[in-house]
Amino acid sequence: MSAENFTFPKRERIVSQKTIDELFSGDHSHSAVAYPVRAVFMLCPRQPGGEAVQVLMSVPKRRLKHAVDRNRVKRQLREAWRLQQAEVLGDALPADQSLRIAFVWLQDGLSPTAVVASRMHQLLERIGKKL
């Protein structure tokens, strides 16, 4: 495996407010939960030169009051995604489709990194089966 498979570049992040609104509007999106993480995802037509998968990590201030805790959880989510994306979603995505996923933290406290990684794996397997 090359090092390229284990990166999380900026182009793979969802930054457009329009895309975020489409993802959470519920028209074409699906949801899966593996507590303490919820995944909201949708398939859309792939744009020429666009990324196959784009991701958003969200840790609400309502759940974790301190910024240091929110940043830690986002770091755990990004690391779990980075290490498992190719393994689980590898060939499940059709070539002409793009996948957009938002991971939302649901717990009012912190969790060990191993727990976050296992829940991320469960979510990615469920998403892969629905594709």
Side-chain angles (χ1 to χ4, degrees), residues 10-126:
K10 190 164 186 167
R11 67 181 181 271
E12 289 183 3
R13 299 176 189 183
I14 298 175
V15 293
S16 165
Q17 186 63 45
K18 180 181 174 187
T19 304
I20 294 169
D21 291 342
E22 287 176 8
L23 185 59
F24 285 102
S25 69
D27 294 341
H28 302 289
S29 61
H30 305 282
S31 180
V33 175
Y35 193 80
V37 183
R38 174 179 171 223
V40 179
F41 60 96
M42 71 179 209
L43 277 173
C44 55
R46 190 167 180 182
Q47 301 295 326
E51 289 297 314
V53 180
Q54 287 188 315
V55 179
L56 169 74
M57 307 289 177
S58 174
V59 182
K61 196 174 195 178
R62 176 186 292 177
R63 299 289 177 205
L64 296 170
K65 303 296 184 203
H66 299 111
V68 66
D69 294 335
R70 291 192 303 274
N71 291 338
R72 176 176 181 203
V73 169
K74 285 189 277 189
R75 199 175 312 117
Q76 288 175 317
L77 289 171
R78 281 192 306 264
E79 184 68 5
W81 163 257
R82 184 183 74 81
L83 293 175
Q84 298 178 27
Q85 66 177 341
E87 174 188 334
V88 181
L89 291 178
D91 298 327
L93 188 63
D96 63 336
Q97 296 289 310
S98 175
L99 179 64
R100 300 203 174 126
I101 309 173
F103 294 104
V104 181
W105 189 255
L106 301 175
Q107 186 175 343
D108 287 337
L110 300 174
S111 285
T113 302
V115 171
V116 175
S118 70
R119 297 308 195 271
M120 178 70 71
H121 186 76
Q122 291 173 1
L123 285 172
L124 292 176
E125 282 184 342
R126 289 183 198 167

